[in-house]
Amino acid sequence: MATQVDSIRTIYSQPEIQERIKEMGQQISSDYAKLEHPVVIGVMKGAFCFLADIVRQIKTPDPLQIEFVRLASYGSATESSGSVQTPYLELPNISRRNILVVEDIIDSGRTARFFMDYLKDQFNPATLKMAVFLDKPSRRVVPMEADYVGFTIEDLFVVGYGLDYAEKYRELPYLGELKLGGG
Ligand code: IMP
Ligand code: MG
């Protein structure tokens, strides 16, 4: 039997992504110019590329503090399950701070909604915003809008630049639509 290989169609190239992130960085820098000691929280695993690139484009008078959590919504490989898991949710005391959450994608909105509500309850932040690399508004199940959106995309399953299919393809420097081999 021949091996069925997945194919990946490029949606945003590496230079297109970097260009967009520069613009987002300028916007965030100007919005945070007067906010004290901002804390950036990256949501693993999917946000690792976006986080690394966006923080290097944010210039604020006060230096950034960078924290990580790991959230997951297990399900089949291309559909999230609806329940948000919290494999790593350790944060220092960031009560009343200016918090910027950095996520890979808002799909159903469940993960983002859960985490924003959690941060509000736990830390009563001075400000709380979210920057996402991608938004798929047509898939929303719970209301959720990010403050900063890299790209708004159609209802496609995408991989690369941190996003995976069954833990594969996160390392690709571009974003592509995944077409599964054999179907
Ligand atoms: P939610 O449905 O908004 O809670 O998103 C849950 C998670 O599903 C996201 O943080 C991503 O990790 C993952 N996800 C959603 N859409 C895609 C996609 O097109 N490719 C890869 N991962 C995705
Ligand atoms: Mg994710």
Side-chain angles (χ1 to χ4, degrees):
M1 197 180 88
T3 312
Q4 303 287 326
V5 291
D6 300 337
S7 71
I8 297 170
R9 177 182 67 90
T10 302
I11 297 178
Y12 295 111
S13 68
Q14 187 171 14
E16 286 171 325
I17 292 172
Q18 295 307 321
E19 193 50 42
R20 181 67 190 118
I21 286 175
K22 250 185 221 162
E23 295 170 358
M24 294 180 85
Q26 285 167 4
Q27 176 76 58
I28 293 170
S29 301
S30 106
D31 292 354
Y32 281 74
K34 296 209 168 91
L35 299 185
E36 287 184 350
H37 308 300
V39 188
V40 174
I41 306 177
V43 180
M44 298 294 104
K45 300 176 189 172
F48 81 100
C49 292
F50 180 47
L51 185 282
D53 286 340
I54 194 77
V55 293
R56 287 178 290 176
Q57 298 294 337
I58 300 176
K59 311 284 179 234
T60 46
D62 281 348
L64 300 178
Q65 177 177 340
I66 300 178
E67 300 291 343
F68 297 96
V69 295
R70 189 170 157 214
L71 306 177
S73 73
Y74 298 108
S76 77
T78 62
E79 286 285 335
S80 69
S81 65
S83 83
V84 179
Q85 314 286 316
T86 57
Y88 180 80
L89 195 54
E90 301 296 313
L91 288 164
N93 187 355
I94 48 172
S95 291
R96 287 184 279 283
R97 298 279 296 276
N98 294 297
I99 299 178
L100 176 66
V101 174
V102 174
E103 252 280 38
D104 55 353
I105 185 167
I106 305 184
D107 187 45
S108 72
R110 290 190 189 97
T111 307
R113 183 76 276 153
F114 161 82
F115 191 48
M116 295 301 263
D117 290 346
Y118 174 84
L119 292 173
K120 250 183 246 168
D121 286 355
Q122 292 288 308
F123 301 114
N124 185 28
T127 65
L128 176 61
K129 289 188 170 189
M130 175 170 281
V132 293
F133 175 53
L134 298 171
D135 188 7
K136 276 197 234 176
S138 63
R139 300 256 311 165
R140 217 60 107 245
V141 174
V142 301
M144 181 68 219
E145 255 187 81
D147 301 275
Y148 308 98
V149 175
F151 300 102
T152 299
I153 60 168
E154 302 294 306
D155 182 8
L156 306 171
F157 194 81
V158 291
V159 295
Y161 197 68
L163 291 102
D164 73 308
Y165 166 70
E167 297 302 331
K168 295 180 288 186
Y169 309 125
R170 292 190 195 275
E171 71 280 18
L172 300 177
Y174 56 89
L175 184 80
E177 178 188 6
L178 179 71
K179 312 236 189 197
L180 290 175

